Amino acid sequence: MIHYKKLTKGDDEYFIDLIGLFEDVFEMQNFKMPEQEYLRKLLSKENFLVFVALLENKVIGGLTAYTLDQYYSTKPLVYIFDLAVKREFQRQGIGKNLIS
């Protein structure tokens, strides 16, 4: 069964796994993973959101997003920055569930 989780402080390993998934799915070349301390600080920011899809406690998909203040309304917007699902799990509604 697939579980969905919002990452928070202390979920560094899931975040690193998600970035590795992005690297694979987006076919990023010459990518260098940022230092874990930097990623830890990023995860603790209130305006940065990370959600992952987990199967047997392994990251199979995820998204990163930022909340942005807007001037048309007092409600913030959510800007999805990256969204990816491992190739073998694509077209199964996982991306849609991550967005919801």
Side-chain angles (χ1 to χ4, degrees):
M1 174 179 247
I2 297 172
H3 297 280
Y4 297 89
K5 176 177 175 56
K6 179 181 185 263
L7 300 188
T8 59
K9 187 176 177 182
D11 288 327
D12 306 8
E13 293 304 317
Y14 285 138
F15 190 29
I16 289 167
D17 290 348
L18 177 61
I19 295 169
L21 186 148
F22 288 156
E23 179 182 12
D24 179 52
V25 172
F26 300 146
E27 299 177 356
M28 299 163 61
Q29 297 179 357
N30 302 318
F31 174 74
K32 184 179 183 304
M33 183 73 68
E35 297 291 327
Q36 189 166 354
E37 184 59 32
Y38 172 78
L39 298 175
R40 186 175 294 127
K41 286 179 186 176
L42 194 56
L43 266 182
S44 68
K45 292 185 180 227
E46 286 185 31
N47 72 329
F48 182 67
L49 306 170
V50 182
F51 294 90
V52 293
L54 300 168
L55 180 64
E56 298 175 0
N57 214 31
K58 294 191 187 326
V59 176
I60 61 166
L63 72 78
T64 58
Y66 292 90
T67 58
L68 303 170
D69 294 329
Q70 58 176 326
Y71 46 86
Y72 293 119
S73 172
T74 56
K75 295 179 183 178
L77 293 171
V78 175
Y79 173 77
I80 297 173
F81 192 76
D82 280 322
L83 168 64
V85 176
K86 279 190 171 190
R87 287 177 180 84
E88 61 266 29
F89 295 101
Q90 292 178 1
R91 308 266 187 239
Q92 297 180 31
I94 296 168
K96 182 179 178 181
N97 288 336
L98 283 164
I99 291 172
S100 342

